[in-house]
Amino acid sequence: MTTDRLRHAQLAGIAEKIDAHERLSFDDGVQLFHAPDLLALGWLANRERERRHGDRTYFNHNLRLEATNVCEATCLFCAFARLRPGDAGAHTMTVEQVLAKLRVRAHQPLTEIHIVNGLHPDLPFDYYKDLLRGLKAIRPDIHLKCFTAVEIAFFADLYGISDEQVLIELGAAGLDSLPGGGAEIFAARVRQKICHDKCDGDRFLAIHRTAHHLGMRTNVTMLYGHIETIEERVDHLVQIRSLQDDTHGFQAFIPLAFHPDNNQMRKLPAPSASDTLRVHAVGRLMLDNVDHIKAYWISSGVEIAQTALWFGADDLDGTVQEETIYHMAGSKTPTALSTDDIEALIRDARREPIERDTLYNVVRVPVAAH
Ligand code: SF4
């Protein structure tokens, strides 16, 4: 990329700052989102991606489960939740039904189970602890990445204990780490409009801080492409970066595209491909202290996730297998990819696939077929 092109894209000053190892400011973040030349922005983000990871592109062999979609919250963007047990489409698995999902796959080289649920008002705390204990009994080696910070806050309020106590008790039952969902956009203006009845941004971050202090690693997301402003996106990124300075507990930043089908925000358009690529690129450049940027193919679509591997992303998430949250909101992606599919996608993007576990230990370096 020539200096002229960066200058023309109004990115030369930011490129110089990055070269001088200077941290980008809030205003730089806004400027990145407004940069007219998407390819120049992508080039800058890709340079940072390659400095950290070269061509390496991570994925894992995981199983996504949603034990209940009964939820007392009313997030406008959500097509997954059903308010009450018994409502059409409401489902709550018994602990045994959840365990059966793992039992039939126990022979697979899975390394992670990822569980996210609705906020069910009637389940006892033991339900979740029995779930974790049961999964570990079947596969003690498997990593349990379960329950968003929103769920942790909900458990604390429902069962009358502190957020920290919830994490300690779930940790004792087998919880290894927290997924990054529920962050949406931290700004109170947006949260008030799209998800007013779940935990606010401050508590979300405080729960991640507590989890980090307890030794758990976590991820963090951003739901983009709905009513948020560019400034609110940058504020979200800066708040993540600030907590990460203190704890170093976030492993990956995961942009999540808003999907408009079957929810109360269906009049809004979905974010464009270029916006999705831009969010990944700006995330890579602003989050100088977060190791990984994940292109979650379920949310962005497989082709855009593959392209994002040249716009700052170094991770494609995993095989997933049973996702419903995005599919109920209209996602046209497959519900599962095999490890062969993911490897082929990465190789096709001229990157090197690396199978990782949840904590980014290398599980396998797949050998290319000739
Ligand atoms: S996004 Fe989560 S908390 Fe909000 S309504 Fe859906 S399931 Fe419930």
Side-chain angles (χ1 to χ4, degrees), residues 23-38:
R23 175 162 272 188
L24 300 186
S25 66
F26 180 93
D27 290 345
D28 292 330
V30 173
Q31 195 178 335
L32 286 170
F33 271 114
H34 287 301
D37 185 337
L38 178 64

Side-chain angles (χ1 to χ4, degrees), residues 56-217:
R56 290 188 301 284
T57 299
Y58 300 93
F59 68 96
N60 74 350
H61 196 155
N62 66 347
L63 170 63
R64 168 90 183 220
L65 294 173
E66 284 124 22
T68 179
N69 67 348
V70 173
C71 185
E72 65 170 36
T74 55
C75 306
L76 298 189
F77 54 84
C78 183
F80 166 73
R82 297 292 178 271
L83 286 184
R84 270 175 276 284
D87 282 357
H91 74 79
T92 301
M93 292 187 228
T94 63
V95 169
E96 192 42 49
Q97 285 171 325
V98 178
L99 301 185
K101 299 264 182 197
L102 176 59
R103 268 199 205 95
V104 296
R105 296 180 172 92
H107 62 285
Q108 294 180 1
L110 287 168
T111 57
E112 172 189 282
I113 296 181
H114 176 176
I115 299 181
V116 172
N117 301 309
L119 309 179
H120 195 305
D122 301 320
L123 291 173
F125 199 17
D126 279 343
Y127 172 87
Y128 301 99
K129 292 192 261 189
D130 290 347
L131 208 71
L132 296 169
R133 285 192 206 101
L135 293 169
K136 283 282 188 191
I138 298 168
R139 280 281 305 274
D141 58 314
I142 218 154
H143 184 107
L144 299 181
K145 184 179 80 181
C146 311
F147 316 127
T148 66
V150 168
E151 291 173 83
I152 301 297
F154 174 75
F155 296 157
D157 294 345
L158 186 64
Y159 307 127
I161 53 179
S162 68
D163 297 343
E164 181 176 30
Q165 192 60 28
V166 170
L167 288 167
I168 289 170
E169 292 190 29
L170 292 176
L175 180 69
D176 293 302
S177 69
L178 297 187
E184 324 311 359
I185 291 283
F186 295 139
R189 179 196 77 85
V190 176
R191 258 185 135 70
Q192 196 52 39
K193 287 195 170 152
I194 68 170
C195 56
H196 69 97
D197 51 4
K198 69 182 185 190
C199 85
D200 64 16
D202 287 349
R203 189 165 177 196
F204 180 97
L205 288 165
I207 288 170
H208 279 265
R209 181 186 292 276
T210 304
H212 297 167
H213 284 148
L214 292 172
M216 291 180 188
R217 306 301 301 277

Side-chain angles (χ1 to χ4, degrees), residues 62-66 93 101 104-105 298 319-325 327 335-336:
N62 66 347
L63 170 63
R64 168 90 183 220
L65 294 173
E66 284 124 22
M93 292 187 228
K101 299 264 182 197
V104 296
R105 296 180 172 92
I298 292 268
T319 47
V320 182
Q321 308 193 42
E322 292 221 358
E323 203 278 344
T324 57
I325 291 176
H327 288 88
T335 54

Side-chain angles (χ1 to χ4, degrees), residues 14 18 24 32 41-42 44-46 48 241 280-288 293:
I14 288 178
I18 295 170
L24 300 186
L32 286 170
L41 172 67
L44 259 189
N46 184 58
E48 287 312 294
R241 191 173 70 181
H280 286 79
V282 178
R284 177 61 289 159
L285 291 166
M286 289 298 289
L287 297 175
D288 53 18
I293 306 296

